[in-house]
Amino acid sequence: MHFFFTRRCALALASTLLSWGAWADSRVPMPAPLPKFQQECVSCHIAYPPGMLPAASWKHLMGSLGQHYGTDASLDEASVREISTWLQANAGTYKRVSAPPPQDRITQSDWFIRKHREVDPAIWKQSAVKSAANCIACHTRADTGSFRESEITFPKGLDARFRRHWED
């Protein structure tokens, strides 16, 4: 189990480090990845690009890791300080992320809702997707920080009745 976890973390970290620049065509430059952020956060979810939330949201999230969306994600003080400093330095400052979304959830931000307005809400509940926060279900390179529309795919295992929402 430990080997699997360590190997999984190493693969995710290597993948992210090698292709973190995938946001090159984005309007917002992607910062260089912070290894500690990758190490601590990727074990549970993708490394959400810091520009997706404002500094106030990151500050709140890093200050409440003991209750991180129903999970105790507590870290030692030095790690919290290092990650928090990096997140706040690279937080979104542009118009679409200027205000903290409800519960500091990326999926509840206005820009996220606007970008996904054509997605049938039932899709988020399908076992192939699980939730709107599971970006990698559709965005094949989300783990590298790339959310290009050209990289979106129909999730494996998703009921074919939802196919009309995807352009091939």
Side-chain angles (χ1 to χ4, degrees):
M1 176 94 165
H2 176 68
F3 172 75
F4 174 74
F5 179 76
T6 303
R7 183 173 179 190
R8 184 174 152 217
C9 288
L11 288 172
L13 176 60
S15 173
T16 301
L17 291 173
L18 290 173
S19 54
W20 194 263
W23 267 37
D25 69 340
S26 175
R27 288 177 279 172
V28 180
M30 191 68 172
L34 177 71
K36 181 64 82 175
F37 176 70
Q38 299 295 318
Q39 176 188 336
E40 298 296 345
C41 303
V42 172
S43 63
C44 295
H45 54 74
I46 68 163
Y48 298 110
M52 289 184 160
L53 286 174
S57 289
W58 289 121
K59 181 177 181 180
H60 181 256
L61 288 171
M62 292 305 294
S64 58
L65 289 175
Q67 297 178 352
H68 188 65
Y69 302 116
T71 300
D72 183 356
S74 297
L75 298 172
D76 63 87
E77 191 175 312
S79 295
V80 169
R81 188 175 33 256
E82 181 181 359
I83 294 170
S84 186
T85 299
W86 182 78
L87 287 170
Q88 293 198 32
N90 295 291
T93 56
Y94 44 100
K95 186 177 177 182
R96 76 177 188 170
V97 293
S98 60
Q103 301 173 340
D104 299 308
R105 290 183 182 271
I106 294 169
T107 57
Q108 293 184 11
S109 62
D110 290 341
W111 68 265
F112 182 93
I113 292 169
R114 187 174 50 256
K115 283 282 203 181
H116 296 85
R117 67 181 175 270
E118 295 178 7
V119 176
D120 184 330
I123 289 175
W124 305 129
K125 297 175 184 170
Q126 300 297 306
S127 62
V129 177
K130 298 178 185 157
S131 82
N134 186 19
C135 306
I136 196 100
C138 303
H139 296 271
T140 58
R141 299 194 60 220
D143 60 335
T144 67
S146 178
F147 294 86
R148 294 181 186 136
E149 287 191 23
S150 62
E151 297 166 353
I152 295 173
T153 62
F154 188 77
K156 292 179 182 171
L158 184 62
D159 191 310
R161 67 188 154 121
F162 296 113
R163 168 90 43 204
R164 70 180 190 283
H165 296 281
W166 272 261
E167 297 174 17
D168 289 324

